[in-house]
Amino acid sequence: MVSRNLLIIALMSKSYLSSRPAISYSKVAATYSSRAQKNLSEYQDWAFQTQGSVNSLSPSPDFTKFAIAGRELLEILALNANPVRPPIRIKNFSSGNAQEKNTSCNDVKWGNDFSENYLFTCSPLGDLNVWDIDLGQNISKFTEHSRAIHSIDVSKFHSSYVLTASQDGLTKLWDFRESHSTQTFKGNSEAARDVVFSPSESNEFVVAYDNGTVQKWDLRYSKSPSLKLSAHNGVALCIDYTPNGSLLASCGRDKSIRIWDINNNQRKAISTINTIAPVNLVRWEPAEVNNATCRLASSSLLGDNSINVWDIRRPYVPHRSLNHHENNVTALQWISPNVLLSSSRDGVLSQSRVNDAKSYIDIMPSSAVSWSTNGSITFSSNNLKNPNLRPPVNRTSSRESNISSLKTALQAKQPIQETHLKQTPANFEFSYPVKNHQLAITSIFPNTSHQFVQLAKSYQLSGETNTACQRNARLAYQLGAYEAQAMWDFLFFSSLNLNHKERFLAKDDYDFPFSDESRSVSTQNKSERSRRSSFESEGLSDDYFESLLSSSSLSSSILSVDYEDNLDKAVSKSINQRSDHPTSMRSRKDGNPPFQGGRGSITSLHFFDSIGSNVSAHSQYDMSNSLHQGSVTSASIKSRDPAFSLGSLSRRTSYFHDQLSLVAEDAPPTDLVDVVTSSIIQCIDESDVQTGASVYLLFSALPINIPRPQLDDLIDSYVGLLRRMGMFCEAAYIVKHSSQVVKYKYSANRDLSFGHKSNPKPYRQNVSFDGVNIYSKLERCCFCELPLNGVITSCYGCGHLGHESCLREWFFNDSTEECLICPVPGCGQVCF
Amino acid sequence: MKPKRIILMGLRRSGKSSIQKVVFYKMPPNETLFLESTARLTQEHISSFIDFSVWDFPGQVDVFDAAFDFESIFIQVGALIFVIDAQDDYLDALARLHVTVARVVAINPNICIEVFIHKVDGLSDEFKIDTQRDIQQRTQDELADIGLENVPISFHLTSIFDHSIFEAFSRVIQKLIPQLPTLENLLNIFCANSLVEKAYVFDVLSKIYIATDSSPVDVQSYEICSDFIDVILDIGSIYGGARQKHSERHPDALDETSSIIRLSNDLVLVLREMNQYLALVCIIRADNFKKSGLIEYNVQCLQSAIQSLFSSK
C-alpha cells in the first residue's frame, strides 16, 4: 500500500511539474546567431540551433542521417551530401502526441542491420523506449529499471540486443522483441554510467561505474565481470572502444583519460591523458583504412566548453582544440576521419573539421634550456631568423647570474656556431637538428666529477702541513682544479715561517720543474709585473663574454689563450688580494672574473683543444704580454714553446714567487690561524666543500675560529658527497679524523626495525648505514617516552632507540661521568 | 521504524572518531589532531532526517571477542564502515577487514560494507589510485578464497580535509534510504522541468546529501552547495527569528527558510527548506532563472511530494 501511495505521489508530482516553465529559446538562438557571425564561420562547417537541449546523438548505420535526443526532443536529421549546409529535419517524434510530451532522453542509439528501422532511447525515469522510424511512434517501452538509465548500446553482431546502464547499478540485456530483459549484470556499484559493446568480440561489453571501476563482462556469464579495472578516482563517466576493438579509452571526474589494453587483461593503463576539467565524453576517431587510430576527442563535464582532440602519443598537449561551443558539450560523434559532430547543452549542433582547428603545439614556444647536475647544459632552440641577433649578456657579480649569462651566451652563440661546428666540434658533445630545431648538449665542466673523485682519493690530509699543502697543490694543479691549487699554494706559503720563507727563496726547495728561469729574474720586477697584469686582468675578465661571443668568427685557440692569460692573472691577483686582506677574502668575488666555478675546466676545454695550433696561439699570447712588459719570463716561455702546458706551469710558478715576494716585502707576516680560518670560510661561502673540508682536516690541530656546527656541517656534507659517489673508504677516513659529533652520526652501526610492537629488548639487526632511520610510530623514545618520529637514533652499545636530539643531549651536553651510560634506567651499559 | 545503525570500525588511529566528529559535530578537521584515542565503544544517536546511530568501535577492541554479543549488534546494522589508514602500512588493516567481513556477512547478509581508504590527502593522485587498486584487488582475492566473491563492498577514497568524506558518507547513507529511487526521480523531473543544472537534497545538520538527480555529482558543485548551507545557517542564527520547536509545530506546516544567491559566473544558487532536517539546494544558470515564480512553484510541488513521501512511513 505504501509503495502504491508513493507511486501516486510521484505521478502527481510529475503532473504538477509538467507545467513547465515556458522558457523560449529565441533568446538563446539570437545570441547564437550573433556569435555565428563572429567566429563560428572560421572553424565551422555548419552550426545549427535545435529546439531544445541535445543530450545525445547517434548516426544511422550508413551515416546519411542521424538522430538527436534530449529533453522533449527526438528528431532525425539528414546529413547532406554537401557538408557545408546544415541538416534537414526529417522527422520529429515528440510533436503532436501530448502524452509523450514529457519524454526526456538521456541517450539515443540507432539500430543496425535488421533493427535499422528502430531507434532506442532511454529516459531519466528508467524507461527504455523503442521507436519505429517509419511509423514515427513508440512501439514498446520497458520499465524494469527503477532509476535513471544513463546509456544504451546496440550490438553490432546481434542487432536485436540492447544493453542499458542504469543509476541503480544494474546493466540489463534486452532483446527488444521480448517483453522482459534477458540478463541482468550487477556491478557492485551505485550507478552504471556508460556501456559499450565490443566491436570485435560479439559477447563482450564494458561498463563504466560510479565508483570509478570499468568492468568487462561476458554476455553469457552474468555473475561476475571477466575483468575489473580500478580506472578512475571518483566517477568513471564514459568509455569508448577503438573501431578495431583493440584499445579502450575511459574518462572520469578525476580529469583524466586513460587508455587500456582491454583484451590482454592488463590492469594498468597503458597511457594517461590529464586534462584540466572533469571529462564527460571520449570518442576515438575512426581509422583510415588499415591504419590504427591514435586520436580521440574529449569534452568536459563543466568548466571547459572546448572539445579537445588528443593524439595519444602526446598526452600533454591537445592535438587540436575546438572552441566554438558556448556551453558544455553533451554529445560527440565522429562522422568520418577528421569530421566531428557535436552538440552542446544550449542546443547547438555543429559539425567541424578537426584538422582546421587550432593546434596548441604550433603556438607553444619550443626553446628550452636545461642544466644537469654533472655540469652539462642542453638546450633546444628554434632556427633563429636573424643569426646576428644576440641576447644581451648580463654581467653581474654573483655566481648564479654568471652561469645564467653563460647559458644565454651559449644559446646566442649556438646558431652562429652551426657554421663553425666543424671547426670546434668539442664545444658540443652532441648536436643534432630536430625538424626546424637545433638540439645541443654541451658540457661546461667536463672534469668536475672526475676531478672530485681523484682529489678525494689522493689528498694528503694529515702529517706535516707544509709538505701536505705542497703535495695537494700539485695534485690540484695536475687535475686542473686551479682554484684549489691556488688555495693550497697560498696555505703552503703561509704555513712556512718567515725565515723559512727566505730560506726557501734562496735555496729553491720548492722544486717546480721550470721555476729556475723565472726565479733568475728579480722578484721586484715580477711583483711590478704582477700588479700590472692584475690591473689588466680586470679589463680582460669583463670583456671575456664579449670575446667569447665575437670570437666565434676567430679561431677558438685564440679565445682559449686569451682566457688562459686572463685566468693566470686573475689567480695572481686574487692571491695578492688575499695576502693583503686575508679576512676580507669572501668579498673577492666582486669585481673579479665572472664565472669562477668552472674557470679551470673551461680553460682546459679550450686549451687542450687547440694543441695543434698552440704555437701560433702562444706567440699571440707572447705578443700581447710582451707589449706591456717584455719580461724575461715571456722569453723563457717562448723558448719552451713546444711544451705549451709546461710553459704555462712555469708561468704559474713565477706568479707564486711574485706573490711570495709580496708577502715577504709588503704585507706583515700573517697569522696562520687567520689564514686557515678565512680560507675555510671562503670555501664555505663558495660551497667548495672538498677543499674546505680538506683544509680543515689538515689544519685541525689549529684553534680555528669558526663555529663548531658550521664546521661539522662542512665535514658532514663532504662525507655525504663521498658516500653518494661510492667512496666509502675516503668517507670513513674523513669521519675518523673529524669531531665527535660527526663521528657519532656516521660511525654508529645502527639498527633498523619496522613495526615491532612492545618488544622490551633492544633490536640487534645491524642493518642500516645512515643517520636517519624511520621507525614505526609505535615505538617510544627511551629518553623522553614520547612516540618516535623524526630523526631517530640508537644507543651505541645496547641499541636502545630514542630521538636523536634527546640522545645527543644526553651524551654530549652533560659533562659528568654519567653521560657515558645508556639513559635507559637499569641498562647500565657504557654506550659511548 | 528502528534507527538504522552505522558502525565505524578499523584499526586504532585510523581516524574513525575524527570522521564522526567532523561529519556530525562540525569539528574543524585540524582539531581532530587532539582527539584522544577512543577507549570504549561509543554510541552516538544522530537524530536527523533519518534516525541513525553511529557506533564508534575502538580499534584495539576485538569485536569478535566472546565478551561481545556481536550477533545482536550486527543483526540491526545497516552499514559497516571500515576505515583504513592509507598512509600507514595497510596489510594489518586488510587482514582485519577480511575477518570482519567474513563474520559480519554470516550474521547479516544484507549489510552494506563500505571501506573508507582514509587520509588520502597526503598521497599523490597516481598513488591514490594505485592504493585503491591494490586494496581492492587484495580484498577481492582474499574474499574469493573464502568463497565470498559476491559480497558487495564499496571503496571510497576519503579525507577529512576536503569534502570527500561527506560525499562518501552521503553515498553510504543513500543506500540506507529505501525511498531513494523515488526521491531521485522526483529530482530528475524537477531538474528537467525547471532547467536546473544540479539539485541536491541536503541533510542540513551534517551537510550530507540525501539525494541528488542522476547526473554525475561533481565535487565543485557539491562543495559550493554545502558551503552555501553553512552560510545560511550562520546568517539565520544571527538574524533569523526564534524558531518553533518541532513538537509545537503543526505537522503539515511548511518551513519557510529560503535563500537565493546569484554568483558572479552567471549561476544562481537556490536554497529552500523542505522540512526541519532537509533542504533543497539547486544550481541554475542565470539565463534559466528568468521566471523565478515558476521555479518557486515547482519547488513547492517537490516539497509537498517529499513531505508525503517521508510522512507515509
Side-chain angles (χ1 to χ4, degrees):
Chain A
M1 191 60 201
V2 169
S3 65
R4 169 168 289 199
N5 271 345
L6 294 181
L7 190 64
I8 291 166
I9 291 154
L11 287 174
M12 275 166 63
S13 67
K14 204 192 258 187
S15 60
Y16 286 147
L17 294 169
S18 67
S19 53
R20 72 176 181 97
I23 290 179
S24 80
Y25 279 94
S26 58
K27 188 179 176 295
V28 184
T31 55
Y32 182 75
S33 61
S34 68
R35 200 165 65 226
Q37 288 161 2
K38 265 200 320 240
N39 55 9
L40 283 183
S41 55
E42 213 172 315
Y43 300 120
Q44 234 40 47
D45 290 352
W46 51 261
F48 179 75
Q49 177 68 52
T50 59
Q51 294 303 305
S53 168
V54 178
N55 285 337
S56 175
L57 54 88
S58 174
S60 66
D62 56 359
F63 284 96
T64 56
K65 289 170 275 191
F66 63 97
I68 55 172
R71 197 178 69 88
E72 293 173 28
L73 175 78
L74 181 61
E75 287 181 4
I76 292 179
L77 305 175
L79 273 175
N80 292 320
N82 178 3
V84 184
R85 281 173 52 205
I88 305 159
R89 180 175 304 143
I90 298 177
K91 205 155 249 168
N92 189 349
F93 293 86
S94 49
S95 64
N97 193 347
Q99 210 177 359
E100 296 296 333
K101 203 151 179 7
N102 207 18
T103 38
S104 176
C105 298
N106 272 352
D107 197 9
V108 62
K109 277 280 156 30
W110 201 301
N112 54 27
D113 210 2
F114 79 86
S115 63
E116 198 175 352
N117 213 17
Y118 299 100
L119 277 182
F120 302 90
T121 65
C122 60
S123 80
L125 299 181
D127 311 327
L128 168 66
N129 292 302
V130 185
W131 304 78
D132 189 309
I133 292 172
D134 292 337
L135 297 173
Q137 48 177 258
N138 192 346
I139 55 165
S140 51
K141 181 171 184 169
F142 304 96
T143 53
E144 282 183 32
H145 283 294
S146 61
R147 296 165 74 178
I149 300 177
H150 292 300
S151 172
I152 8 175
D153 200 23
V154 183
S155 171
K156 289 166 188 62
F157 298 94
H158 318 276
S159 49
S160 63
Y161 282 10
V162 180
L163 276 170
T164 54
S166 161
Q167 177 79 18
D168 54 17
L170 305 178
T171 307
K172 284 179 187 279
L173 175 71
W174 313 78
D175 188 325
F176 73 94
R177 298 164 296 189
E178 294 177 20
S179 57
H180 295 286
S181 63
T182 47
Q183 293 255 40
T184 301
F185 306 90
K186 194 169 184 297
N188 281 346
S189 171
E190 293 98 89
R193 286 280 165 192
D194 198 9
V195 60
V196 283
F197 273 105
S198 165
S200 55
E201 302 290 326
S202 62
N203 286 317
E204 277 180 11
F205 67 96
V206 180
V207 191
Y209 289 96
D210 244 13
N211 61 3
T213 57
V214 169
Q215 300 179 9
K216 182 167 82 168
W217 294 81
D218 194 297
L219 283 180
R220 298 159 292 190
Y221 187 71
S222 63
K223 286 211 175 100
S224 68
S226 55
L227 179 68
K228 193 172 176 181
L229 305 167
S230 298
H232 292 276
N233 175 13
V235 183
L237 286 172
C238 182
I239 41 180
D240 194 37
Y241 266 108
T242 50
N244 61 6
S246 59
L247 297 177
L248 182 87
S250 70
C251 62
R253 205 178 69 181
D254 61 354
K255 304 179 183 177
S256 67
I257 303 168
R258 289 172 207 266
I259 317 291
W260 308 88
D261 188 358
I262 191 82
N263 296 325
N264 292 337
N265 291 349
Q266 287 199 353
R267 288 179 198 278
K268 281 232 167 196
I270 59 171
S271 176
T272 300
I273 297 170
N274 287 310
T275 67
I276 57 165
V279 190
N280 70 337
L281 286 168
V282 59
R283 292 279 180 265
W284 289 95
E285 186 179 24
E288 307 274 358
V289 185
N290 290 334
N291 277 345
T293 179
C294 55
R295 290 209 298 181
L296 51 88
S298 77
S299 66
S300 63
L301 185 65
L302 78 168
D304 181 17
N305 298 333
S306 60
I307 302 168
N308 290 324
V309 179
W310 301 84
D311 188 324
I312 57 165
R313 294 167 298 190
R314 177 177 274 151
Y316 306 104
V317 187
H319 186 244
R320 300 281 169 183
S321 191
L322 300 161
N323 299 322
H324 55 278
H325 282 296
E326 295 222 334
N327 209 321
N328 296 329
V329 177
T330 52
L332 285 176
Q333 179 66 50
W334 292 92
I335 302 295
S336 66
N338 191 26
V339 182
L340 187 67
L341 205 60
S342 59
S343 70
S344 66
R345 190 172 293 189
D346 52 11
V348 176
L349 196 65
S350 76
Q351 175 187 306
S352 25
R353 277 176 302 200
V354 167
N355 288 346
D356 296 346
K358 187 160 72 183
S359 169
Y360 283 117
I361 196 74
D362 293 341
I363 54 177
M364 285 173 76
S366 57
S367 300
V369 179
S370 183
W371 174 270
S372 91
T373 48
N374 57 16
S376 55
I377 293 177
T378 178
F379 56 89
S380 97
S381 64
N382 285 325
N383 269 344
L384 286 188
K385 298 281 187 298
N386 180 3
N388 296 320
L389 193 72
R390 274 185 225 135
V393 179
N394 294 333
R395 216 175 298 109
T396 46
S397 55
S398 79
R399 170 176 293 197
E400 286 75 20
S401 54
N402 283 334
I403 289 172
S404 71
S405 66
L406 178 82
K407 285 195 217 172
T408 332
L410 281 169
Q411 240 181 325
K413 204 170 143 191
Q414 186 265 333
I416 311 166
Q417 281 237 339
E418 280 172 33
T419 50
H420 296 282
L421 217 55
K422 279 176 192 145
Q423 295 164 16
T424 59
N427 280 5
F428 297 102
E429 288 168 10
F430 309 99
S431 175
Y432 31 88
V434 189
K435 191 189 171 188
N436 298 334
H437 289 78
Q438 186 78 21
L439 182 69
I441 298 167
T442 179
S443 173
I444 60 161
F445 311 140
N447 295 325
T448 21
S449 120
H450 169 73
Q451 207 179 65
F452 182 89
V453 172
Q454 287 303 320
L455 286 179
K457 280 186 178 158
S458 41
Y459 266 158
Q460 184 184 343
L461 299 178
S462 59
E464 206 195 335
T465 50
N466 302 346
T467 48
C469 285
Q470 196 179 338
R471 196 178 148 215
N472 292 347
R474 206 173 312 161
L475 280 168
Y477 173 69
Q478 279 162 9
L479 290 161
Y482 299 119
E483 215 167 292
Q485 183 220 354
M487 178 80 79
W488 285 115
D489 272 339
F490 182 58
L491 284 167
F492 165 64
F493 287 113
S494 309
S495 66
L496 299 171
N497 58 35
L498 200 61
N499 33 12
H500 201 114
K501 281 174 192 163
E502 278 159 7
R503 190 159 48 89
F504 166 76
L505 273 180
K507 276 192 184 172
D508 181 28
D509 54 359
Y510 183 55
D511 55 342
F512 266 114
F514 301 105
S515 55
D516 40 357
E517 294 98 329
S518 52
R519 244 185 317 104
S520 64
V521 189
S522 82
T523 51
Q524 184 62 45
N525 182 15
K526 276 185 199 155
S527 79
E528 189 75 30
R529 182 196 151 210
S530 147
R531 277 180 180 162
R532 210 177 297 159
S533 55
S534 69
F535 171 72
E536 184 189 292
S537 76
E538 279 194 44
L540 268 176
S541 60
D542 278 355
D543 285 328
Y544 170 56
F545 277 104
E546 259 88 5
S547 69
L548 185 73
L549 296 173
S550 61
S551 65
S552 50
S553 56
L554 303 171
S555 100
S556 65
S557 57
I558 292 176
L559 172 71
S560 70
V561 169
D562 263 345
Y563 186 53
E564 169 71 347
D565 189 5
N566 182 10
L567 167 79
D568 276 0
K569 285 165 188 166
V571 168
S572 80
K573 185 193 167 203
S574 75
I575 285 167
N576 284 342
Q577 267 191 354
R578 263 184 228 182
S579 60
D580 292 343
H581 318 283
T583 47
S584 66
M585 262 194 277
R586 68 186 84 181
S587 66
R588 197 178 63 105
K589 287 175 198 160
D590 308 331
N592 251 300
F595 193 64
Q596 294 167 351
R599 191 161 57 203
S601 31
I602 267 224
T603 311
S604 62
L605 176 77
H606 289 283
F607 203 66
F608 296 112
D609 272 347
S610 55
I611 280 179
S613 59
N614 65 13
V615 177
S616 67
H618 199 51
S619 60
Q620 177 96 19
Y621 165 80
D622 283 339
M623 262 160 62
S624 65
N625 253 357
S626 53
L627 276 178
H628 296 291
Q629 300 144 4
S631 77
V632 189
T633 321
S634 308
S636 78
I637 293 167
K638 199 162 195 175
S639 70
R640 292 188 179 272
D641 255 345
F644 182 64
S645 54
L646 301 182
S648 90
L649 180 61
S650 104
R651 240 164 46 231
R652 184 178 306 280
T653 330
S654 73
Y655 287 132
F656 282 108
H657 284 246
D658 298 345
Q659 188 270 326
L660 186 59
S661 66
L662 277 177
V663 170
E665 290 156 19
D666 305 341
T670 47
D671 187 5
L672 184 60
V673 176
D674 284 349
V675 173
V676 172
T677 307
S678 48
S679 307
I680 294 174
I681 287 178
Q682 192 193 349
C683 286
I684 292 174
D685 284 350
E686 294 192 350
S687 55
D688 183 355
V689 175
Q690 185 173 40
T691 318
S694 306
V695 168
Y696 166 62
L697 286 175
L698 184 56
F699 291 94
S700 56
L702 293 173
I704 296 165
N705 188 22
I706 300 177
R708 200 74 211 169
Q710 213 176 340
L711 283 177
D712 285 338
D713 277 353
L714 178 71
I715 301 293
D716 193 12
S717 45
Y718 185 42
V719 172
L721 270 175
L722 287 174
R723 293 165 81 109
R724 205 174 307 159
M725 299 181 112
M727 291 182 286
F728 295 106
C729 297
E730 287 76 14
Y733 181 85
I734 306 279
V735 168
K736 191 179 160 197
H737 290 85
S738 60
S739 70
Q740 286 284 352
V741 176
V742 177
K743 212 180 273 183
Y744 179 73
K745 182 171 175 193
Y746 277 103
S747 59
N749 202 2
R750 293 299 150 65
D751 304 329
L752 193 65
S753 75
F754 287 108
H756 293 281
K757 275 177 239 168
S758 63
N759 187 352
K761 283 184 191 168
Y763 309 110
R764 293 205 167 269
Q765 293 177 327
N766 291 342
V767 187
S768 140
F769 306 101
D770 265 313
V772 182
N773 295 330
I774 298 151
Y775 290 88
S776 162
K777 290 175 201 161
L778 302 169
E779 311 297 343
R780 285 175 182 272
C781 174
C782 61
F783 193 77
C784 62
E785 289 289 320
L786 291 172
L788 285 180
N789 44 23
V791 182
I792 287 156
T793 185
S794 65
C795 273
Y796 228 176
C798 53
H800 279 107
L801 295 171
H803 294 119
E804 201 207 0
S805 54
C806 295
L807 289 184
R808 188 190 280 247
E809 194 185 335
W810 176 266
F811 285 124
F812 293 121
N813 293 5
D814 216 352
S815 57
T816 56
E817 190 67 24
E818 205 181 28
C819 72
L820 300 177
I821 299 168
C822 177
V824 177
C827 177
Q829 191 157 354
V830 177
C831 294
F832 195 70
Chain B
M1 202 161 122
K2 263 190 227 163
K4 292 271 186 184
R5 189 173 291 170
I6 295 177
I7 283 192
L8 276 169
M9 289 179 80
L11 294 188
R12 58 192 284 256
R13 302 191 61 83
S14 57
K16 302 173 292 298
S17 303
S18 302
I19 291 177
Q20 195 192 346
K21 294 281 188 246
V22 168
V23 174
F24 296 109
Y25 295 94
K26 291 195 188 303
M27 180 184 269
N30 40 10
E31 280 178 24
T32 58
L33 205 63
F34 307 111
L35 282 179
E36 297 280 319
S37 68
T38 312
R40 65 179 76 172
L41 187 126
T42 52
Q43 295 184 36
E44 303 285 348
H45 188 78
I46 317 283
S47 74
S48 176
F49 152 70
I50 48 167
D51 289 336
F52 52 90
S53 52
V54 176
W55 288 30
D56 184 0
F57 271 79
Q60 57 273 22
V61 172
D62 186 5
V63 191
F64 304 108
D65 209 296
F68 275 97
D69 187 8
F70 54 83
E71 285 207 22
S72 65
I73 293 174
F74 282 106
I75 201 76
Q76 305 169 36
V77 167
L80 167 72
I81 296 176
F82 196 92
V83 185
I84 293 178
D85 182 353
Q87 291 186 18
D88 205 357
D89 183 19
Y90 48 74
L91 292 181
D92 287 351
L94 282 182
R96 183 75 170 271
L97 169 68
H98 301 150
V99 175
T100 312
V101 168
R103 300 292 291 269
V104 167
V105 167
I107 299 165
N108 182 357
N110 296 323
I111 195 168
C112 302
I113 298 167
E114 312 283 331
V115 178
F116 283 11
I117 303 167
H118 197 49
K119 305 187 192 175
V120 289
D121 44 281
L123 307 181
S124 71
D125 281 350
E126 207 47 41
F127 200 66
K128 270 184 209 170
I129 195 94
D130 280 349
T131 308
Q132 188 185 6
R133 182 181 300 132
D134 189 44
I135 289 178
Q136 227 161 320
Q137 192 58 42
R138 282 169 191 273
T139 311
Q140 195 183 328
D141 293 349
E142 195 69 30
L143 292 181
D145 285 352
I146 51 176
L148 293 169
E149 294 98 335
N150 289 323
V151 176
I153 301 184
S154 310
F155 295 86
H156 308 266
L157 292 167
T158 59
S159 158
I160 53 171
F161 293 97
D162 53 27
H163 288 78
S164 57
I165 187 67
F166 291 96
E167 204 195 341
F169 242 96
S170 304
R171 289 174 175 224
V172 173
I173 290 190
Q174 283 172 28
K175 287 187 187 171
L176 305 180
I177 302 174
Q179 298 95 333
L180 181 70
T182 319
L183 198 53
E184 190 179 87
N185 284 350
L186 281 173
L187 285 170
N188 278 341
I189 297 166
F190 170 71
C191 281
N193 287 318
S194 310
L195 295 176
V196 169
E197 300 279 310
K198 190 77 190 151
Y200 295 94
V201 174
F202 271 94
D203 176 34
V204 177
L205 177 76
S206 57
K207 291 191 291 173
I208 285 173
Y209 64 92
I210 301 297
T212 179
D213 61 309
S214 59
S215 67
V217 177
D218 65 275
V219 188
Q220 284 143 305
S221 73
Y222 172 68
E223 284 175 1
I224 199 163
C225 289
S226 77
D227 291 346
F228 184 32
I229 288 181
D230 270 348
V231 171
I232 297 306
L233 285 185
D234 291 348
I235 292 180
S237 61
I238 297 172
Y239 299 106
R243 302 194 62 166
Q244 287 175 312
K245 282 203 175 134
H246 175 52
S247 53
E248 294 167 7
R249 280 197 297 190
H250 190 265
D252 291 337
L254 295 182
D255 288 290
E256 296 295 321
T257 307
S258 68
S259 166
I260 295 169
I261 293 183
R262 187 181 288 259
L263 303 177
S264 61
N265 60 349
D266 275 353
L267 288 177
V268 178
L269 288 176
V270 176
L271 179 139
R272 176 74 192 216
E273 197 167 8
M274 292 280 120
N275 60 27
Q276 69 261 40
Y277 301 120
L278 296 184
L280 171 81
V281 183
C282 43
I283 304 175
I284 311 175
R285 277 178 191 271
D287 295 343
N288 300 336
F289 197 65
K290 295 286 187 292
K291 298 195 173 177
S292 56
L294 209 52
I295 290 175
E296 180 68 14
Y297 178 72
N298 282 347
V299 170
Q300 278 176 19
C301 295
L302 183 70
Q303 183 175 10
S304 59
I306 289 178
Q307 293 250 329
S308 7
L309 185 63
F310 287 106
S311 61
S312 64
K313 71 187 173 185

